[in-house]
Amino acid sequence: MVTEGSVAEFNRNGRVVVVGASLAGLRAAEALRDEGFAGTLIMIGDERLQPYDRPPLSKQVLLGRTSADRTLLPRRRAINAEWRLGVPAAGLDLSRHRVRLADGREVGFDRLLIATGARARPWPREAEAELDGVFVLRSVGDAAKLERRLAAKPHRVLVVGAGFTGCEVASACRARGIEVTVAERGPAPLVGALGGVVGAVAAELQRKNGVDLRCNITVTELEGDLGGRLKRAHLSDGTVLDVDVAVIALGALRNTEWLTGSGLAAGPRGIACDAGCRAFDVHGIVTDDVFVAGDVARAPHPLFGYQFLSLEHWGNAVSQAETAAHNMVRSGLDRRPHLWVPAFWSAQFGVNIKSVGVPPMGEELLVTQGALAEHRFAAVYGYQGRVIAAVTFDHGRWIDFYSRQIESAAPFPPEFVGVDRRADGMRPVPADFPDPALPTHGPTVTVSGYAPNERRLTFTPART
Amino acid sequence: MRIVVDLNRCQGYAQCAFLAPDVFVLHGQEALMYDPGADEALAEQVARAAAACPVQAILVERGEGAREPVGAVGGHGH
């Protein structure tokens, strides 16, 4: 336990353990040293690799332009850490301030940062998932294996799920001249993340580039031959496709199972923490020595009605890690909130897609620049009379402008007249998001929790 | 060498693609693709590209990186 009076002593001789040796963990470690932390720093990671960057795995790597093992992250500075790589954390003892590793050993800490991220959601039927030719894409190893298979020119690739990863995989296949079918449960690609209006543009992009896109459909069975190699896929409309590769792109699961029974508020949606990155315990009381950052965190955001946001965003991992590190070596009013405006990008079919804010909160959408039909545009999402999010297709230079609109809660429909405003950008249309209660894999932002002015609340006790 | 570009910050000015065309390439109009593990021989090009980036989105670490020994690979530690 680090009390306010002992912060200086902690910064000299304390012991910080970071669980999760990826982007958030590394940037937090660097920030801790930048902030003057001179004590012991221990980095725990389940993979044997030094921290690496994931965005290139579904883009440059699958295109064959670089190899998966060339994605190690550059360091901002030396961090003088002890690395414990290759063994996952398996438990946390809050009262004794110890992390238990899967091999049974324990690592003590004064302060802990949890950055265990997420993993690919596997194909639900285990026997089918194990067929030769069935892949997920999350790690360097996943990307290397899939790239090798793509380089061997498969007859047809099936991508299951048209979220960002699925779309980028399909894009890489087409760029390499490989036939690809995309099967999506929703009505359009990216519909969970960007809504139906923009999803329709993503669908056009796919079809224009020769993707066999099938929406409102599910894959019911992956069928192998006697040798255990994937041969066919069965779809819910009765279609049977000959495929030799299937990429399961059904979103991510947060790595919180190791915290079961620890007393932290950890579950499938992530670990709840305050805006200062301090973890909540199961009673909703904030802890003082356990911090959270990156994909595994869910934290309230004042710009978005204090809703708890879980963000699977590269930029969030960096920013939240910096804030967590800052707050780990400070106390009281010297701490600062994580107020990052959500932002992400994707590159697919040669188009640069960028977004800021929280599109799934959007009720209406207005194209403020360019035109949907040209696949070059900027659009804003409106929520209760204000701008809540924006998306651009090949209009990335304007994204900072829209970010400021969101930060200042600018009115929707917008009062500004943008460059290249067209006739179809005069009237808002429904943004057309699917019912959030239906299962989707798509959104990279999950909104959960309740605004203070809302009265509805459902308490579901955990099963014992 | 290790390279990462903050593509939230990148605005597609393409200065890097002019100055280090072996490492940074525009895919379509403005989507930047780069080799995150470019060879050390290209270090001078890359340094020029990073310096010229109008939004300073390029982070480069020379050499093979990993300044600390990773003594505990496999989990054998203290």
Side-chain angles (χ1 to χ4, degrees):
Chain A
M1 175 73 193
V2 182
T3 59
E4 291 201 13
S6 62
V7 165
E9 167 59 19
F10 165 75
N11 286 340
R12 272 192 305 274
N13 295 311
R15 193 174 161 87
V16 167
V17 169
V18 177
V19 183
S22 192
L23 177 64
L26 177 63
R27 293 296 179 243
E30 292 164 344
L32 279 167
R33 293 304 190 201
D34 269 348
E35 299 268 358
F37 177 71
T40 304
L41 181 55
I42 298 168
M43 307 287 293
I44 295 171
D46 61 340
E47 292 183 79
R48 284 170 179 272
L49 286 172
Q50 288 271 319
Y52 59 84
D53 205 30
R54 295 183 200 277
L57 300 179
S58 55
K59 306 177 187 77
Q60 295 97 308
V61 172
L62 288 193
L63 285 167
R65 292 177 181 224
T66 191
S67 64
D69 58 4
R70 285 157 70 105
T71 58
L72 295 180
L73 281 162
R75 305 291 172 82
R76 290 174 171 174
R77 55 163 297 145
I79 57 172
N80 185 27
E82 293 174 24
W83 295 84
R84 311 279 176 92
L85 298 177
V87 179
L92 169 65
D93 186 333
L94 273 180
S95 59
R96 291 168 56 233
H97 273 64
R98 297 180 86 79
V99 172
R100 186 165 43 79
L101 302 183
D103 62 9
R105 277 171 314 148
E106 295 192 338
V107 183
F109 62 85
D110 295 316
R111 283 202 161 143
L112 174 69
L113 177 68
I114 300 174
T116 42
R119 63 184 183 279
R121 184 190 302 273
W123 183 243
R125 301 184 192 193
E126 230 171 280
E128 295 178 12
E130 281 168 15
L131 289 172
D132 181 19
V134 179
F135 297 85
V136 292
L137 180 55
R138 181 81 192 172
S139 68
V140 158
D142 296 338
K145 280 186 280 185
L146 179 55
E147 198 283 326
R148 261 200 306 278
R149 192 58 69 92
L150 296 186
K153 294 281 169 211
H155 160 71
R156 178 172 290 274
V157 173
L158 171 68
V159 176
V160 186
F164 283 103
T165 302
C167 291
E168 290 175 7
V169 171
S171 171
C173 288
R174 291 308 300 140
R176 300 181 76 146
I178 299 167
E179 296 298 324
V180 58
T181 296
V182 173
E184 162 59 38
R185 173 164 47 193
L190 308 180
V191 68
L194 296 173
V197 178
V198 178
V201 181
E204 280 176 23
L205 272 180
Q206 297 214 359
R207 295 198 167 111
K208 190 179 98 181
N209 284 279
V211 175
D212 170 32
L213 172 67
R214 303 178 185 214
C215 296
N216 298 307
I217 214 162
T218 56
V219 176
T220 52
E221 187 193 345
L222 297 174
E223 183 191 334
D225 63 15
L226 290 174
R229 288 183 66 102
L230 176 66
K231 272 289 163 221
R232 274 180 286 275
H234 298 254
L235 307 184
S236 54
D237 65 352
T239 312
V240 181
L241 292 173
D242 288 336
V243 295
D244 37 7
V245 172
V247 182
I248 309 304
L250 293 172
L253 299 172
R254 291 175 170 78
N255 292 319
T256 57
E257 291 82 356
W258 69 285
L259 295 166
T260 303
S262 67
L264 283 188
R269 285 171 160 180
I271 304 163
C273 61
D274 73 357
C277 309
R278 295 178 298 179
F280 285 114
D281 72 11
V282 288
H283 308 294
I285 298 174
V286 78
T287 56
D288 209 38
D289 297 316
V290 181
F291 293 73
V292 195
D295 290 6
V296 78
R298 52 186 288 260
H301 201 308
L303 260 184
F304 304 100
Y306 296 91
Q307 299 255 25
F308 278 73
L309 301 185
S310 317
L311 301 169
E312 291 175 45
H313 294 167
W314 187 94
N316 182 65
V318 174
S319 171
Q320 201 168 22
E322 290 167 350
T323 303
H326 175 89
N327 291 342
M328 286 175 91
V329 299
R330 294 289 198 293
S331 62
L333 292 176
D334 293 334
R335 285 180 167 153
R336 66 177 194 224
H338 173 57
L339 291 179
W340 188 76
V341 177
F344 67 88
W345 76 89
S346 169
Q348 46 188 273
F349 307 104
V351 174
N352 189 31
I353 301 176
K354 286 193 160 196
S355 172
V356 286
V358 181
M361 284 178 80
E363 295 157 342
E364 291 188 308
L365 177 134
L366 185 86
V367 178
T368 47
Q369 293 176 269
L372 298 173
E374 293 168 16
H375 308 154
R376 258 175 77 81
F377 64 92
V380 294
Y381 295 82
Y383 171 70
Q384 297 185 348
R386 51 176 279 221
V387 175
I388 201 82
V391 60
T392 61
F393 275 46
D394 276 350
H395 264 54
R397 213 161 289 182
W398 299 95
I399 207 78
D400 285 348
F401 168 77
Y402 292 106
S403 193
R404 286 194 297 276
Q405 300 285 310
I406 296 161
E407 282 172 52
S408 58
F412 181 95
E415 288 164 344
F416 62 86
V417 178
V419 177
D420 195 20
R421 185 89 169 255
R422 310 284 181 85
D424 67 349
M426 295 302 162
R427 211 175 324 121
V429 296
D432 193 21
F433 280 94
D435 181 348
L438 296 174
T440 69
H441 58 273
T444 55
V445 186
T446 309
V447 178
S448 59
Y450 299 89
N453 59 352
E454 282 182 44
R455 292 272 179 245
R456 62 197 166 84
L457 187 73
T458 311
F459 178 64
T460 313
R463 279 175 299 182
T464 49
Chain B
M1 200 164 19
R2 296 177 179 184
I3 301 168
V4 71
V5 181
D6 181 344
L7 290 170
N8 283 318
R9 202 181 281 184
C10 173
Q11 294 187 17
Y13 287 99
Q15 295 299 304
C16 55
F18 291 118
L19 291 165
D22 299 327
V23 180
F24 302 93
V25 179
L26 280 189
H27 196 63
Q29 305 257 6
E30 57 173 65
L32 183 68
M33 297 275 166
Y34 60 95
D35 182 357
D39 291 336
E40 200 59 30
L42 299 166
E44 214 169 290
Q45 269 192 32
V46 170
R48 273 202 298 272
C53 176
V55 292
Q56 292 293 292
I58 304 172
L59 177 66
V60 183
E61 187 185 16
R62 292 284 304 270
E64 295 307 305
R67 298 207 173 84
E68 305 84 34
V70 187
V73 171
H76 304 288
H78 312 261

